[in-house]
Amino acid sequence: REAASSLAKTVNALSERLQLDTKTATLAISGGLIVHQPLLLETTCKLLDDTFGLVSVVAEPVGGAIRLARTL
């Protein structure tokens, strides 16, 4: 719970710093550590759910990066 809380606080601080409209923004969570630790992932998502319009888990971000790169 402590790790999830720290992560959520960091994400919230960054979104404030960037002046994001978090109610319409989609937050993509990725990375082996968080994606493969169900309790950390679930707790972090719950803590961020009230802040962001949508919280999405991206298990394979490389695939999305490749698709994006092909359009350039």
Side-chain angles (χ1 to χ4, degrees), residues 15-33:
S15 67
E16 287 177 19
R17 174 79 182 210
L18 295 174
Q19 299 177 343
L20 296 177
D21 180 4
T22 57
K23 291 300 176 192
T24 60
T26 299
L27 175 65
I29 295 178
S30 67
L33 178 64

Side-chain angles (χ1 to χ4, degrees), residues 2-16 44 47-48:
E2 187 176 329
S5 180
S6 291
L7 183 56
K9 286 178 184 177
T10 301
V11 170
N12 285 326
L14 181 60
S15 67
E16 287 177 19
T44 303
L47 291 169
L48 292 168

